[in-house]
Amino acid sequence: MTPKLEDVAKLAAVSKTTVSRVLNNRGYLSQKTIDKVHAAMAQLDYHPNVVARQLYKNQTNLIGILLPSVANPFFGELTDTLERLLYQAGYKVLIGNSMNDPQKEAAYLNQLLSRQVDGLIVGTHNQHIQAYQNPGLPVVAIDRVMNEDIPVIASDNYQGGQLATTHLIDRGAKKIIHTNGPEDLKTPAQRRRSAYETTMVAHGLTPITYTVDFNIAPSAKKAVFRQIFQEHPDVEAVFAANDVDAALIQQVAGEFGRQVPQDLMIVGYDGTNLMREVLPNLTTIVQPIEAMSKMALQVLTQRINKEPTEKEYILPVKLWPGQTG
Amino acid sequence: MTPKLEDVAKLAAVSKTTVSRVLNNRGYLSQKTIDKVHAAMAQLDYHPNVVARQLYKNQTNLIGILLPSVANPFFGELTDTLERLLYQAGYKVLIGNSMNDPQKEAAYLNQLLSRQVDGLIVGTHNQHIQAYQNPGLPVVAIDRVMNEDIPVIASDNYQGGQLATTHLIDRGAKKIIHTNGPEDLKTPAQRRRSAYETTMVAHGLTPITYTVDFNIAPSAKKAVFRQIFQEHPDVEAVFAANDVDAALIQQVAGEFGRQVPQDLMIVGYDGTNLMREVLPNLTTIVQPIEAMSKMALQVLTQRINKEPTEKEYILPVKLWPGQTG
DNA sequence: TTGTAAGCGTTATCAG
DNA sequence: CTGATAACGCTTACAA
């Protein structure tokens, strides 16, 4: 059996209270007692039972992070950053990779609702899950609108769409195609589409948006991208939904004998450190992952402390000028 | 206040025991009682307190995953896969990204030791932390030797080193340089170096290994890679420690006016789905992430159930033939 | 088929 | 400066 506080107390010939005091540096204690207790703890290799403490305090110091998949570079870097900041703030991280499976997400949510975590950061795609309606749990959303009560932290997707589109127009492109997720997903990312379309029209150009499901396999994505070249052989530039898609589009362009950027310009989205290392030439819009993470933590903390928050926090993006557009 | 079991009991006019029975489908209950209790739970929007249950059962259904960083494609995909499998097995996942910081890792470990998790999967680089010596907690290691008592799940690094080296030799390279982590790290990955060196010698060639610290920034890595070309202008091929490094080496090769594969062949390592999507041309050794994850779960489960395990589980790798080597 | 009561390992109140 | 004891919310013998 693993030793418990009582065992330490017995061995040190003091009460449980005293041991607890030593453990938490609380109240007045003689140095002698402190030493005695420490010795007993060392001898037994005692580790306090975190769960018992959690029960009493009604607090777990755990934060849940619900995202589609940590294997995706954007969500991977986001999780990594959040974990670092949360750790500094005294929290540990419980992850749930929903893979955009509404069932799995709902299951996670229901379990986390049970005072398993002190707060929740969500960035999943299924925002219509019942449990979000009244979570009785501090929640913040990243880049997703869940419901009116949940504050959203997002980068400035409108600005990103504008930056990308004007950049391509400035570089001489007229026939520019945009790829994005399904329109019915009411995500802030749809503002990119809006910015793209507005910017195109403002320049007297015709916007064309291809819908690419976030979930589907790369081969299926490539099939969609091939359609672009088949249906619009005169396409001059593509503004992609993310950097991985941008890479796939560049590959497909190659199949059609197009050199980038001579025969086709490409601008990606996300600009994670990893993708900028691996594909430094890719022109892309960089999301401020660090700033978003800090803001998420700050707003979540406010929620936990029952302080008021804004509904939305929008952080600026920037263009990473590569060689592809 | 969030409602507790007792509130449900009161509202349904039954005892706590009965509510608990309904909650867990245990024992004999009249349908009438069941319905009554369910109605009360619904009315109160009751969610059982997981922590209280954990305390009683002395079991959290949480598994800790300690890895350097989930932002790295290999560890990201590994975490993603493990999370999926663990979820199916009824576990949730607590992550700790040590960033190879021994202090942070030790802190995590100490906290997780406190019955915060039912088991631990580690793949960090600092294997000399005290707490691993006697963890009193089921632990398995991935690709790292922690101590004699902790089973290791790894891919066949020797085979990987052999595959890569013979592949390059078969393709006509003679001056082949290998990059790897610091030799003092007693990781299974060092077997690649061993395989590389043995294979080179067996073919009458001279092995040259450059040490590249896993931790350092990409710019620092590139500096090391530049040295390779400066000190060995006649290098014909590089067998890199991982795919990201392989990408960096290809970039540096470009700086030196070398075309890949004509003027330089490159073979990477890891072969994650992401990297194969983004850089499909990169020849690489594919680690069996799914198989390793399954094995890790299986062995961890055995440990949890106090069944005997082997010391080491080695899984085969395969070569992904790209265009770079 | 249902209820009573003890216990999981802490912390905190209150008394000494 | 230290110690009894109740409480955190649940589960499970044991009783009825």
Side-chain angles (χ1 to χ4, degrees):
Chain A
M1 277 313 282
T2 43
K4 50 185 169 181
L5 191 137
E6 197 178 343
D7 302 324
V8 177
K10 272 193 191 125
L11 183 59
V14 296
S15 73
K16 295 198 308 179
T17 311
T18 301
V19 178
S20 174
R21 284 208 183 96
V22 175
L23 218 46
N24 301 290
N25 297 311
R26 219 185 300 289
Y28 298 97
L29 295 163
S30 73
Q31 190 57 47
K32 205 168 127 192
T33 307
I34 295 177
D35 294 342
K36 232 179 7 182
V37 171
H38 275 142
M41 295 199 299
Q43 187 178 333
L44 296 174
D45 189 27
Y46 169 74
H47 293 269
N49 184 319
V50 177
V51 174
R53 189 178 284 171
Q54 288 175 344
L55 176 60
Y56 187 89
K57 299 228 169 176
N58 195 26
Q59 174 184 324
T60 60
N61 286 96
L62 250 37
I63 299 291
I65 300 186
L66 243 48
L67 293 172
S69 162
V70 87
N72 166 292
F74 177 71
F75 293 122
E77 193 166 317
L78 183 62
T79 303
D80 194 73
T81 310
L82 284 168
E83 188 272 348
R84 178 165 47 75
L85 296 171
L86 286 165
Y87 180 81
Q88 286 166 6
Y91 292 108
K92 287 205 267 309
V93 168
L94 204 64
I95 56 165
N97 288 172
S98 69
M99 294 310 298
N100 298 305
D101 171 355
Q103 259 201 300
K104 186 171 178 188
E105 187 177 340
Y108 259 119
L109 207 56
N110 269 314
Q111 292 174 58
L112 297 185
L113 249 33
S114 310
R115 283 173 263 14
Q116 163 103 268
V117 294
D118 294 344
L120 198 54
I121 298 173
V122 275
T124 47
H125 286 197
N126 308 294
Q127 44 266 94
H128 298 309
I129 290 178
Q130 186 61 332
Y132 286 121
Q133 293 318 309
N134 179 22
L137 179 79
V139 181
V140 306
I142 291 201
D143 218 35
R144 307 289 153 200
V145 178
M146 308 311 284
N147 79 40
E148 283 300 303
D149 280 348
I150 297 179
V152 181
I153 285 85
S155 61
D156 192 337
N157 282 278
Y158 196 91
Q159 181 204 10
Q162 227 171 8
L163 270 178
T165 312
T166 52
H167 178 81
L168 289 169
I169 293 174
D170 288 351
R171 314 268 295 185
K174 298 215 176 308
K175 177 115 185 187
I176 305 169
I177 289 179
H178 176 45
T179 74
N180 204 319
E183 204 167 358
D184 57 319
L185 231 60
K186 258 198 61 188
T187 71
Q190 285 297 331
R191 292 179 194 163
R192 282 181 223 166
R193 174 203 288 248
S194 165
Y196 156 78
E197 290 175 352
T198 306
T199 307
M200 289 292 279
V201 170
H203 285 261
L205 303 172
T206 311
I208 305 171
T209 301
Y210 272 70
T211 295
V212 186
D213 222 308
F214 184 84
N215 279 327
I216 60 178
S219 55
K221 285 193 172 183
K222 279 188 163 184
V224 176
F225 298 145
R226 283 190 195 99
Q227 274 183 41
I228 294 182
F229 292 96
Q230 282 154 1
E231 297 170 0
H232 300 279
D234 55 340
V235 55
E236 294 166 331
V238 178
F239 168 31
N242 60 64
D243 295 331
V244 178
D245 283 8
L248 295 177
I249 289 167
Q250 180 157 6
Q251 291 164 31
V252 169
E255 293 175 13
F256 285 80
R258 308 276 209 115
Q259 290 294 309
V260 174
Q262 303 90 315
D263 312 325
L264 181 80
M265 290 192 273
I266 299 178
V267 175
Y269 212 96
D270 289 344
T272 55
N273 291 323
L274 176 67
M275 291 302 285
R276 282 177 17 221
E277 273 174 45
V278 165
L279 294 176
N281 288 338
L282 179 65
T283 301
T284 187
I285 306 294
V286 182
Q287 296 214 52
I289 291 185
E290 178 91 16
M292 290 166 77
S293 303
K294 279 189 174 143
M295 188 60 87
L297 172 56
Q298 183 204 306
V299 177
L300 187 61
T301 306
Q302 290 173 223
R303 281 269 156 158
I304 290 175
N305 298 333
K306 308 207 183 288
E307 295 162 17
T309 60
E310 306 289 321
K311 287 203 159 163
E312 208 175 49
Y313 299 82
I314 304 292
L315 273 19
V317 298
K318 58 178 196 247
L319 181 98
W320 168 268
Q323 315 287 332
T324 64
Chain B
M1 278 312 284
T2 42
K4 48 183 171 183
L5 191 136
E6 197 177 345
D7 301 323
V8 177
K10 272 194 190 124
L11 183 60
V14 297
S15 74
K16 295 197 311 178
T17 311
T18 302
V19 179
S20 174
R21 286 210 181 95
V22 176
L23 219 46
N24 302 290
N25 298 311
R26 217 185 300 290
Y28 298 96
L29 295 163
S30 74
Q31 189 58 48
K32 204 168 125 193
T33 307
I34 294 177
D35 294 343
K36 232 177 12 179
V37 171
H38 275 142
M41 295 201 297
Q43 186 178 334
L44 295 173
D45 189 28
Y46 170 73
H47 293 267
N49 184 318
V50 177
V51 174
R53 189 177 284 171
Q54 288 174 345
L55 177 60
Y56 185 89
K57 299 231 168 175
N58 196 26
Q59 175 184 324
T60 60
N61 286 96
L62 248 38
I63 299 291
I65 300 187
L66 241 49
L67 293 172
S69 162
V70 89
N72 167 291
F74 177 71
F75 293 122
E77 193 166 317
L78 183 62
T79 303
D80 194 73
T81 309
L82 284 169
E83 188 271 348
R84 178 165 46 76
L85 297 170
L86 286 165
Y87 180 81
Q88 287 168 6
Y91 291 109
K92 288 207 266 315
V93 168
L94 204 64
I95 57 164
N97 289 172
S98 69
M99 294 310 298
N100 298 305
D101 171 354
Q103 259 200 301
K104 187 171 177 189
E105 187 176 341
Y108 260 119
L109 207 57
N110 268 314
Q111 293 174 62
L112 298 184
L113 248 34
S114 309
R115 281 171 271 4
Q116 163 104 266
V117 294
D118 294 344
L120 198 55
I121 298 173
V122 276
T124 46
H125 285 198
N126 308 294
Q127 42 269 94
H128 297 309
I129 290 177
Q130 186 58 334
Y132 286 121
Q133 293 320 309
N134 179 24
L137 179 78
V139 181
V140 307
I142 291 201
D143 218 34
R144 307 289 152 200
V145 178
M146 308 310 287
N147 78 41
E148 282 301 303
D149 280 348
I150 298 179
V152 180
I153 286 83
S155 61
D156 193 337
N157 283 280
Y158 196 91
Q159 181 204 9
Q162 226 170 8
L163 270 177
T165 311
T166 51
H167 178 81
L168 289 168
I169 292 173
D170 287 352
R171 314 269 294 184
K174 299 216 175 308
K175 177 116 184 186
I176 304 169
I177 289 180
H178 176 46
T179 73
N180 205 319
E183 202 167 1
D184 56 320
L185 232 58
K186 260 198 60 189
T187 72
Q190 285 298 331
R191 291 180 194 162
R192 284 181 220 164
R193 174 203 287 248
S194 164
Y196 156 77
E197 290 174 352
T198 306
T199 307
M200 289 293 279
V201 170
H203 287 262
L205 303 173
T206 311
I208 305 172
T209 301
Y210 272 70
T211 295
V212 185
D213 221 308
F214 185 84
N215 280 327
I216 61 178
S219 55
K221 285 192 172 181
K222 278 189 164 182
V224 175
F225 299 145
R226 282 190 196 100
Q227 274 184 41
I228 294 181
F229 292 96
Q230 282 155 0
E231 295 170 3
H232 301 279
D234 54 340
V235 56
E236 294 166 331
V238 178
F239 168 32
N242 59 66
D243 296 331
V244 177
D245 283 7
L248 295 178
I249 289 167
Q250 183 159 4
Q251 292 164 31
V252 169
E255 293 175 13
F256 284 81
R258 307 278 209 115
Q259 290 293 311
V260 174
Q262 302 89 317
D263 312 326
L264 182 80
M265 291 193 270
I266 299 178
V267 175
Y269 212 96
D270 289 345
T272 55
N273 291 322
L274 176 67
M275 290 302 285
R276 279 169 27 212
E277 274 175 44
V278 166
L279 295 176
N281 288 338
L282 180 65
T283 301
T284 187
I285 305 294
V286 181
Q287 296 214 52
I289 291 185
E290 178 91 16
M292 289 166 77
S293 302
K294 279 189 175 142
M295 188 60 87
L297 172 55
Q298 183 203 304
V299 177
L300 186 62
T301 306
Q302 290 173 224
R303 280 270 156 156
I304 290 174
N305 298 333
K306 309 210 183 286
E307 295 163 14
T309 61
E310 308 289 320
K311 287 202 160 163
E312 207 174 48
Y313 299 81
I314 304 292
L315 273 21
V317 299
K318 59 178 194 250
L319 181 98
W320 167 269
Q323 316 286 333
T324 64

